[in-house]
Structures are given as structure tokens and as C-alpha cells.
Amino acid sequence: MNSKTKDCLSKTYRDWLWVILVLAAFLGGYSTYFILEHHSSSPEPATQSVQHHEKPKIELQTVPQSVQHHEKPKIELQTASQRRIDVPLLTPWLAPIVWDGTFDEDILNEQFQGRNITIGVTIFAIKKYVIFLKLFLETAEKHFMVGYKVNYYVFTDRPNDVPKIPLQEGRKIITLVVQNYSRWQDISMHRMEMISNYCHQLFFKDVDYLVCLDVDMKFNDHVGVEMLSDLVGTLHPGFYGASRETFTYERRPKSQAYIPRGKGDYYYMGGFFGGKVQQVYKLTKACHEAMLIDKSNRIEAVWHDESHLNKYLFLHKPTKVLPPEYMWDKQLLGWPAFLRKMRMLAVPKNHAKIRNK
Amino acid sequence: STSRSLIKLKGRGIPFSHFLPSFLPSFLPSFLPSFLPSFLPSFLPSFLPSFLPSFLPSFLPSLLPSLLPFLPSFLPCLLLSFLPSFLPSFLPSFLPSFLPSFPPSLPPSLLPSFRPSFPPSLLPSFLPSFLPSFLPSFLPSFLPSFSFFLPSSFLSSPFFFFFFIFSQYQEGHISCTVLISHSTYFILEHHSSSPEPATQRRIDVPLLTPWLAPIVWDGTFDEDILNEQFQGRNITIGVTIFAIKKYVIFLKLFLETAEKHFMVGYKVNYYVFTDRPNDVPKIPLQEGRKIITLVVQNYSRWQDISMHRMEMISNYCHQLFFKDVDYLVCLDVDMKFNDHVGVEMLSDLVGTLHPGFYGASRETFTYERRPKSQAYIPRGKGDYYYMGGFFGGKVQQVYKLTKACHEAMLIDKSNRIEAVWHDESHLNKYLFLHKPTKVLPPEYMWDKQLLGWPAFLRKMRMLAVPKNHAKIRNK
């Protein structure tokens, strides 16, 4: 009798647990992709909260009712209260990592529209890289800071090859003729020098924010004011999720870009940084001066300007960090689950043909 | 027949209903954070989740001594409650975090632009999402009772973890797989290099506002990095507190606890606005800190005293604050510091979430709802309900805020209307129109007597001091 009772009980209990497990798994999967309505994490002890205010009338809502009051009844990937739990949302120094789903575009546009800002974009199309300009600018017109004033600063040695692209209102292309270098590493590194030089001549006066991009990219999805902040760095897509030990920081103490083992927060991409003009000026000036010191010591950082950028952003933490959504390579890295949008993509190129020509 | 209470969990049948009372408490809080937050609030009555998290911590300390003889019978329920909380948070967080690290390790070649990461990154990314959700759900309800007997460093150490897990395994309350998985996680977590900067992830609370302002929860920031950032800038923080009439009695405790917990190591100026300068206590202060007493007029109504704080702060900005301090923090005086409050809270404009409204629906917020008032916020609008007794930021921003609120209150006064919650309503209106750049969670302002100790609250940084409202006000 005893064992029979126990067997019956066991079956009941197991069934119940299976029901809960299946329900839990379903809700977990459903709520990860379709965030259901709610305003915050846990309902408050409603009775007690009111006493704190000494109100005569207790304005309690039972929870089912409160949910129905929500203004936005649509169940979708909302911004306000839904949460990305699959990715880190903040750096340890409280800089937001601007993942899709964490911000509300409307609120941010409201904040920025009133300030009449101009965003400057610096792109370097030296030698054969001019061929990337057309796609870059065309996609930028569709996706980059739509509705804001944008100045494209095209640094090139072939001003005649700069394509004429129809631009939206308030946007313009400014071509700056600069010298080229024979080695592609030098071209890449001298970007820092050129940006810092032009700051005094142009950027301080004309723009509020600077975004310094690689030109062999195309915009694929919305890139807007959510990325603007005092100092912005982007996580290198090839190193996202990797252990700090695998980061290709400069490891030789002789270089100015040296970061010892066990140090460093993230591996930032050399081809996407930005911020307020003053901050970008400081960054580019510091990187350029560090590269000059390295040159006099006859050492070149393993990843050139990217190593120096990483050193600078290690010492001067960025105020916003952009996730790999803002710089991705679909051919090399595929489409992992944490990537909801690919905002900028690398354009496939033949390295041997393009460089050093 | 054997007493039901002594049945151990060894796959034996126990009716589901038997587990309901003790099983739900620690099951639900963890259930909620992982994925139910979206579902459960609408399903259950509001009292149930709120009742349960505070239920466990409060009753365990008192009951545990008397329960000791019956501990073996108590534990199966506790432990079954721990298992379900392990599973639901395991499922959703396991899959997404497992997948991301996999593809980057696939590309074989080492091309100039992209360097692949390799498989060891797999494990750290999938396990951490498992354990943090486990810990908050189960341990907070358990720990308060234990904390009487053990120092906190022991409680957070791997030692304790292993000891506890192994003891449960010995008693047959958890399975071998659980023992192995938990131990493996711990070994990996503590012996491998961290893949990213070492902060545990909080998944039970919102970390960002929709305008990308961080909500400064415990566990989201690294104090050392932040101190490094701020120390070099030689900043001074100003604190404004209003001790009018009988409120002077709160000064002693406020200042003493502030010396222990508030911006330790930085220069701090306490600006005490009072009408009784002789009653300001003499507190021994750390180096670089000073108390500046400012004599101001009092008002007969406490509502007026509260509202005129805005005016006084904006007045003294030009005289004092612009020159002397970099950041201003405007606090209520009937509080005490209980835990670290540091530079993590500093930003251009900072508001604090009112503890009584955390988690509540926007419709319950006590905004001013009469369109005639300057503090009017229509239904359906508004982001959070901010506390009137804790705001701050750079002096320029606080000046703008206090000036705007004061002018709004003057307009209201000329229209013969007073906002329902006085300066707090005006503060909420201002912060709705000018979003703060950092938001402080209820950790920074809590009332333990009224609100207990829910699972999401890891630290109570500032606590309300109990006071007799009738006696204190209007005297």
C-alpha cells in the first residue's frame, strides 16, 4: 500500500513538474523575442508604498489592471522596458553599450533635434580606395543620421575620382586633398595626424560631433544619434566575446601602445570611433604623437593606429561603446544570435589588389 | 505511516500542493527575473510576488532558531524551491549565450582585418548567465538568516559555496548532476581569465533607461575604475541638506553616517540650510570635508519649507556653488547612509527612483494630474517617478533644475494651485522634459520598515530614519 501510494504520488508530482518546465521553457523562449507588456521588473508591495507618502486614499492597482493601461499595446521588440539579457549592457565604468532594443529612437531624437547639431564624418579614400566612396555615401544617405546635418569630409589624393552623389538636404561633401603614402600602414596611421590637423581649421567651427570611419564599409541599417556621446569606441567584431588574453594589443613594452597582459577592457575597432570634436581632437593628437615617438624608437605597433587607439581608450575610457552591430563582416563571421541588426558591413575586397597601389 | 514532513527528495512522489507554500517563495523571484517579469505581473495579483520576496527574509531570522530541531523537514521544501529556480533561468539564458561565441571561432584563416576567437570563450559565456540568475533568487532569501552567524566574506567565497552544495548533496537533496555543474561553473569562473571586464551581470533589473542613461545598480560598475576616472579631476562635491525647525535632530546621524559612506576620499562640502544655527552638531570630519551652515528663514507649513528648498538652492548657486563645488547633491535630511555612495552616482543630471513606486505601473505614479498646474503630466506619459529628496548633478544642471522648479511653483502659486506632491511633482515634470543622464535605483533611497528587503535590492545605501510625522512637522 505504501509503495503504491508513493508511486501514485510520484507520478502526480512528476507531471506537475513537467508542466511547469514546459511552460517555463515556452515563456522563456517567447519572452526573449517578443517582450510582453510590463513596465519594470517586479511589482511593488503596493500597500506599503503608499503609506510612505501618507496619502489618505490608497491608489492601488491590482496588477492585471495596471498592465492593460499601457499605451503601447503592441507586442514587439520594445525599447523601454524590455531587456536584452543575452549581452552586456554597460561597461564597468557605466558607459552604455548601445545594443539594439536598449534605446528608444523617438526619445533620443527629441533630445538631439532641438540642439541643431552637425555631425562630421571623416573618411579616407587614398589611392584605389576611392572606389569604395560611391557605395559608402549612397548607403550613408539612406541610413546615417537621417534628418540631421551631416558633413562628409573625404580625405583623398584623387579629388577628381570623388563621385557626385545626390545628397539629402542639410548634408554636404567636403573634399580635402591630402598626400598619400606608399605603404598602406602609413596611410592608415596618418589618418590620426590628418584628423587632428584639420580640427583647428575646420572641425571645431563646423561640426559638433565627429565620426571617423573606414571607407571600405557600407551602411546596412539605421545608425543614428544613439551613438553620439563625448567619446565613442566600437567593439571589434572579431573579438567580441573573446578572452582578454587573445586581444591583439601591442605587447612590446618599448612601444607607446603597450598594454600589459591582464589589462585592458575591450578590443576596439580602429575603423569606427568618434565623439565630440574636442575629445576626438585629443584622441587623434595623442595617437599621432605616440606614433611619432614609436617611429623615433624604430618600432611600429602590431596593428598600427588601432593599437594606439586601444591604448588611448584604455587610459581614457569612452563614454559610450558601440557593439559589433555597428561594424560587422558577414562573410567572415556569419549571423550569430546576439546580433539583431547589422548596421554597418564590411565590403568584400581583394587586399592584395587594393593595398599599396 | 511516516510523517509527511520528513520525506526527503529522492525522486519520491510528493503531491504538488504540498510544495506550494514554501516552494513558491524562492521559486518566483528567480522565475520572475529570468523571463516571467513580462508575464507574471499580469497574471498574479499584485500582492503575491511582493509578499513572497519579503516574506522569506523576514521570517527566516526569527523562525530559524525555533525551527532548528525540525531542520531536516524544512530543508526539502527549501531545496526543491531552489531547483526550479535553477531551471527556468537556466533555459532562456543558456541558449542565446551559448550561440554567440560559437560562430566567431569558426573562421579558420587569420586574415588581416579579423581575428577569430576560439572555443574557450564558449564556456564563460554560457555559464555566467546561468549562475547569476541562480544566486539572486535563492541566496538572498537564505542568506539573511545565515548572516547572523557568518561573516559576509565567507558567505561570498567559493568555500562556502562548495561547502553548502556538497552538504546538500550529502543529504541527498540535490542530484549529482547539479553538484557537478555547479562545481564546474565555479572552477571555471574563478580560474579562467575573464573574457570581459569583471562585472557580474544583473538580469533581474533594468540597467538602462530608453535614452541610454545607466541605472546604477550594485554589481554593474567597478568602483576602482570609476575612482581612477574621478580622482585625477580634483572635484568637490556639495551636499545640500535642509534642517529647518525640528529637523535639526536628524543632522547628527546624517552627518556621522555620511562621513563613513559618502564620497569617501573626496572633498565634500556639507551645506546645512537651517534656521537654528546653534543646533547644528559639531561632528568630527575627515580631511577635505567641511560643514557650511547657511541661515535661512523658515515657513510655517512644512509643504512650504519643502518647496522653498528649490528657491534656496538656486539662489545660493551664484553666491557659492558655482565657485566652490563641481557637483551638487540635494538630499533630504531625515535619512542615514548605510552603505557606500560614491562617484558612480555623479553625472550631468541625476534623479533617483522613488522606492515606493519602483516596479509600479505608470498609471499609479502620483504625478500632478491637473492641467492647470505647471507640474502637469498627462496620463500615459512619464518615464519614472523620481524622488524629491535625492537629485543632483553638475552645478549648472542643478541650477537650471531648481530655478525652473521654483519659477514653476511661483506660477502655480499665482494661479492658486499647489501641486499634489509639491516640489517632488515639479521635479518629476522637469526630469520628464529634461531626461537625467544617470538614474539611481531605489538602493540609493530605501525605507526598510515600510518596504522590507526584496530580492532585487542587494544593498541599501541610504535608509529613511523613522520619524513621527505629526510631532516633527509644523513645529
Side-chain angles (χ1 to χ4, degrees):
Chain A
M1 171 62 187
N2 223 10
S3 67
K4 199 176 174 194
T5 320
K6 280 187 176 166
D7 283 340
C8 289
L9 295 174
S10 160
K11 193 170 184 300
T12 319
Y13 140 70
R14 263 204 282 272
D15 285 346
W16 272 108
L17 271 190
W18 272 114
V19 168
I20 290 179
L21 209 62
V22 169
L23 195 69
F26 169 71
L27 282 171
Y30 185 74
S31 68
T32 304
Y33 297 106
F34 299 98
I35 305 306
L36 308 173
E37 273 297 311
H38 82 103
H39 243 293
S40 39
S41 63
S42 52
E44 257 302 309
T47 46
Q48 296 155 334
S49 70
V50 177
Q51 287 160 23
H52 184 69
H53 255 306
E54 272 186 290
K55 281 202 279 260
K57 192 169 81 105
I58 292 178
E59 281 177 4
L60 275 191
Q61 302 263 355
T62 56
V63 185
Q65 241 179 308
S66 64
V67 174
Q68 292 159 19
H69 281 178
H70 287 164
E71 290 292 313
K72 292 189 259 191
K74 37 193 198 316
I75 294 174
E76 55 176 52
L77 287 170
Q78 285 202 35
T79 56
S81 47
Q82 60 95 309
R83 227 165 302 150
R84 295 286 301 262
I85 61 170
D86 55 331
V87 289
L89 298 182
L90 280 177
T91 66
W93 56 94
L94 293 172
I97 306 179
V98 188
W99 291 99
D100 179 55
T102 59
F103 59 91
D104 185 332
E105 269 177 50
D106 300 324
I107 297 183
L108 285 165
N109 277 326
E110 260 180 52
Q111 285 190 315
F112 278 90
Q113 281 291 7
R115 290 161 49 182
N116 196 25
I117 52 168
T118 309
I119 298 110
V121 184
T122 66
I123 32 182
F124 288 77
I126 312 273
K127 294 201 261 197
K128 278 212 165 177
Y129 276 74
V130 287
I131 59 172
F132 294 110
L133 277 174
K134 186 166 187 297
L135 186 61
F136 181 96
L137 292 168
E138 281 176 346
T139 51
E141 281 299 297
K142 281 200 224 118
H143 298 288
F144 182 74
M145 304 286 178
V146 175
Y148 292 88
K149 290 193 281 189
V150 175
N151 291 358
Y152 299 101
Y153 294 100
V154 180
F155 292 75
T156 181
D157 59 337
R158 303 180 184 181
N160 298 325
D161 291 341
V162 176
K164 305 258 180 299
I165 313 282
L167 297 175
Q168 302 279 338
E169 198 182 315
R171 300 160 88 100
K172 51 185 168 178
I173 299 179
I174 293 131
T175 310
L176 302 166
V177 184
V178 293
Q179 70 164 122
N180 63 35
Y181 293 85
S182 44
R183 293 174 66 231
W184 67 266
Q185 296 90 334
D186 283 323
I187 298 176
S188 181
M189 292 200 290
H190 277 271
R191 295 190 291 183
M192 293 290 186
E193 179 187 13
M194 295 180 197
I195 294 171
S196 58
N197 284 348
Y198 275 92
C199 275
H200 280 294
Q201 299 180 35
L202 276 180
F203 302 147
F204 278 127
K205 297 193 319 274
D206 291 353
V207 299
D208 303 286
Y209 291 90
L210 261 182
V211 182
C212 307
L213 294 169
D214 273 355
V215 75
D216 50 353
M217 298 277 155
K218 67 179 182 196
F219 289 87
N220 189 50
D221 209 325
H222 168 90
V223 175
V225 290
E226 73 278 354
M227 66 155 278
L228 297 178
S229 187
D230 283 8
L231 183 60
V232 182
T234 309
L235 300 180
H236 195 298
F239 290 90
Y240 176 71
S243 137
R244 188 192 284 169
E245 299 318 306
T246 65
F247 290 168
T248 54
Y249 292 142
E250 174 55 63
R251 298 295 188 187
R252 294 166 292 177
K254 195 174 161 198
S255 166
Q256 298 298 306
Y258 169 58
I259 297 180
R261 295 227 169 253
K263 297 256 181 240
D265 316 296
Y266 302 100
Y267 194 77
Y268 300 100
M269 179 92 184
F272 196 146
F273 61 92
K276 287 212 170 112
V277 185
Q278 179 64 26
Q279 304 300 324
V280 176
Y281 172 64
K282 283 201 234 174
L283 184 157
T284 49
K285 190 153 172 287
C287 286
H288 172 57
E289 284 168 0
M291 286 191 269
L292 285 179
I293 298 173
D294 267 10
K295 197 168 183 184
S296 70
N297 290 335
R298 302 227 190 100
I299 184 169
E300 192 174 273
V302 58
W303 283 105
H304 325 104
D305 50 308
E306 190 174 84
S307 305
H308 288 275
L309 176 80
N310 272 281
K311 180 67 185 275
Y312 186 87
L313 290 180
F314 169 62
L315 297 173
H316 309 81
K317 313 280 186 212
T319 55
K320 252 186 202 171
V321 171
L322 301 182
E325 292 173 358
Y326 284 81
M327 180 72 74
W328 193 253
D329 187 323
K330 201 165 170 191
Q331 278 78 19
L332 281 177
L333 304 165
W335 194 346
F338 65 84
L339 212 66
R340 289 190 185 178
K341 287 189 175 178
M342 299 188 208
R343 302 183 189 274
M344 278 193 85
L345 290 169
V347 172
K349 66 186 197 231
N350 183 329
H351 286 285
K353 281 181 74 179
I354 286 287
R355 292 177 167 167
N356 297 343
K357 289 249 166 37
Chain B
S1 63
T2 49
S3 152
R4 280 267 172 86
S5 60
L6 286 176
I7 291 174
K8 293 202 171 180
L9 183 65
K10 275 197 174 149
R12 292 300 180 178
I14 302 164
F16 181 67
S17 58
H18 215 236
F19 282 95
L20 224 61
S22 56
F23 148 93
L24 278 174
S26 48
F27 161 82
L28 272 172
S30 63
F31 207 50
L32 275 166
S34 60
F35 60 85
L36 273 183
S38 46
F39 170 79
L40 202 64
S42 59
F43 189 63
L44 282 177
S46 60
F47 83 85
L48 199 60
S50 57
F51 153 78
L52 289 163
S54 53
F55 173 67
L56 217 57
S58 59
F59 100 80
L60 271 177
S62 54
L63 271 185
L64 200 62
S66 59
L67 264 184
L68 237 63
F70 306 104
L71 211 56
S73 60
F74 179 71
L75 271 175
C77 302
L78 189 67
L79 264 304
L80 179 64
S81 63
F82 124 73
L83 270 177
S85 64
F86 140 65
L87 284 169
S89 51
F90 178 66
L91 276 165
S93 54
F94 154 80
L95 280 171
S97 57
F98 169 82
L99 290 166
S101 47
F102 208 61
S105 65
L106 287 175
S109 62
L110 208 71
L111 287 167
S113 326
F114 296 100
R115 275 85 37 162
S117 60
F118 44 87
S121 62
L122 248 182
L123 280 162
S125 67
F126 116 74
L127 281 170
S129 58
F130 155 79
L131 202 64
S133 56
F134 160 69
L135 274 167
S137 63
F138 148 69
L139 279 175
S141 53
F142 172 84
L143 275 172
S145 60
F146 239 77
S147 59
F148 288 120
F149 314 113
L150 296 163
S152 59
S153 55
F154 177 71
L155 286 175
S156 57
S157 70
F159 242 133
F160 171 73
F161 182 81
F162 276 117
F163 154 75
F164 181 76
I165 289 291
F166 194 69
S167 67
Q168 297 313 310
Y169 175 72
Q170 291 282 61
E171 304 231 13
H173 293 148
I174 57 172
S175 67
C176 190
T177 47
V178 173
L179 170 71
I180 291 174
S181 62
H182 284 51
S183 315
T184 324
Y185 168 75
F186 236 97
I187 292 167
L188 285 166
E189 174 72 348
H190 289 274
H191 292 279
S192 66
S193 61
S194 43
E196 42 181 84
T199 39
Q200 348 100 294
R201 220 176 297 164
R202 295 286 301 260
I203 63 169
D204 55 330
V205 288
L207 298 182
L208 281 176
T209 67
W211 58 93
L212 293 172
I215 306 179
V216 188
W217 291 98
D218 179 54
T220 59
F221 59 91
D222 184 331
E223 268 177 51
D224 300 322
I225 297 184
L226 286 166
N227 276 326
E228 261 180 51
Q229 285 191 314
F230 278 89
Q231 281 291 5
R233 291 162 48 181
N234 196 23
I235 52 169
T236 309
I237 298 110
V239 185
T240 67
I241 32 182
F242 288 78
I244 312 272
K245 292 199 263 196
K246 278 210 165 177
Y247 277 73
V248 287
I249 59 173
F250 294 110
L251 278 173
K252 187 166 186 298
L253 185 60
F254 182 96
L255 293 168
E256 281 174 348
T257 51
E259 282 299 297
K260 280 199 226 119
H261 298 288
F262 182 75
M263 304 285 177
V264 175
Y266 292 88
K267 288 193 279 186
V268 175
N269 290 357
Y270 300 101
Y271 295 99
V272 180
F273 293 74
T274 182
D275 59 339
R276 301 179 185 182
N278 298 325
D279 291 341
V280 177
K282 306 255 178 300
I283 312 279
L285 298 175
Q286 301 280 339
E287 199 183 313
R289 300 162 88 97
K290 50 184 168 178
I291 298 178
I292 293 130
T293 309
L294 302 164
V295 185
V296 294
Q297 72 165 119
N298 64 34
Y299 294 84
S300 44
R301 294 173 66 230
W302 68 266
Q303 296 90 335
D304 283 322
I305 298 175
S306 182
M307 292 200 290
H308 277 272
R309 295 189 293 182
M310 292 291 186
E311 177 187 26
M312 295 181 198
I313 294 171
S314 59
N315 285 349
Y316 275 91
C317 275
H318 281 294
Q319 298 180 39
L320 275 180
F321 302 147
F322 278 128
K323 296 194 315 279
D324 292 351
V325 299
D326 303 286
Y327 291 90
L328 261 183
V329 183
C330 307
L331 294 170
D332 274 354
V333 74
D334 51 352
M335 299 276 156
K336 68 179 181 195
F337 290 87
N338 189 51
D339 207 323
H340 169 89
V341 175
V343 289
E344 71 278 354
M345 67 155 278
L346 296 179
S347 187
D348 283 9
L349 183 60
V350 182
T352 309
L353 301 180
H354 194 298
F357 290 91
Y358 176 72
S361 137
R362 187 197 280 168
E363 300 317 307
T364 65
F365 291 168
T366 55
Y367 291 143
E368 174 55 63
R369 299 295 189 187
R370 293 166 291 177
K372 194 173 163 198
S373 166
Q374 298 298 306
Y376 169 58
I377 297 180
R379 293 227 170 253
K381 298 257 180 238
D383 316 296
Y384 301 101
Y385 195 78
Y386 300 99
M387 181 92 186
F390 197 145
F391 61 91
K394 289 214 170 107
V395 186
Q396 179 65 26
Q397 304 300 323
V398 177
Y399 172 64
K400 282 203 234 175
L401 184 156
T402 49
K403 188 153 171 289
C405 287
H406 172 57
E407 285 168 1
M409 286 191 267
L410 287 179
I411 298 174
D412 267 10
K413 197 168 183 183
S414 70
N415 290 336
R416 301 225 191 105
I417 184 169
E418 192 173 274
V420 58
W421 282 107
H422 324 106
D423 50 306
E424 189 173 86
S425 305
H426 288 277
L427 176 79
N428 272 281
K429 181 68 186 274
Y430 185 86
L431 290 179
F432 168 62
L433 298 173
H434 309 81
K435 315 279 186 210
T437 54
K438 251 185 201 170
V439 171
L440 302 181
E443 292 173 357
Y444 285 80
M445 180 72 75
W446 193 253
D447 188 326
K448 199 167 172 189
Q449 277 75 22
L450 282 178
L451 305 165
W453 193 351
F456 65 83
L457 212 66
R458 290 188 184 177
K459 286 191 176 178
M460 298 190 209
R461 302 182 189 274
M462 277 193 88
L463 290 170
V465 172
K467 65 183 197 235
N468 182 330
H469 286 284
K471 281 182 73 180
I472 285 287
R473 291 176 168 169
N474 296 344
K475 291 244 165 27

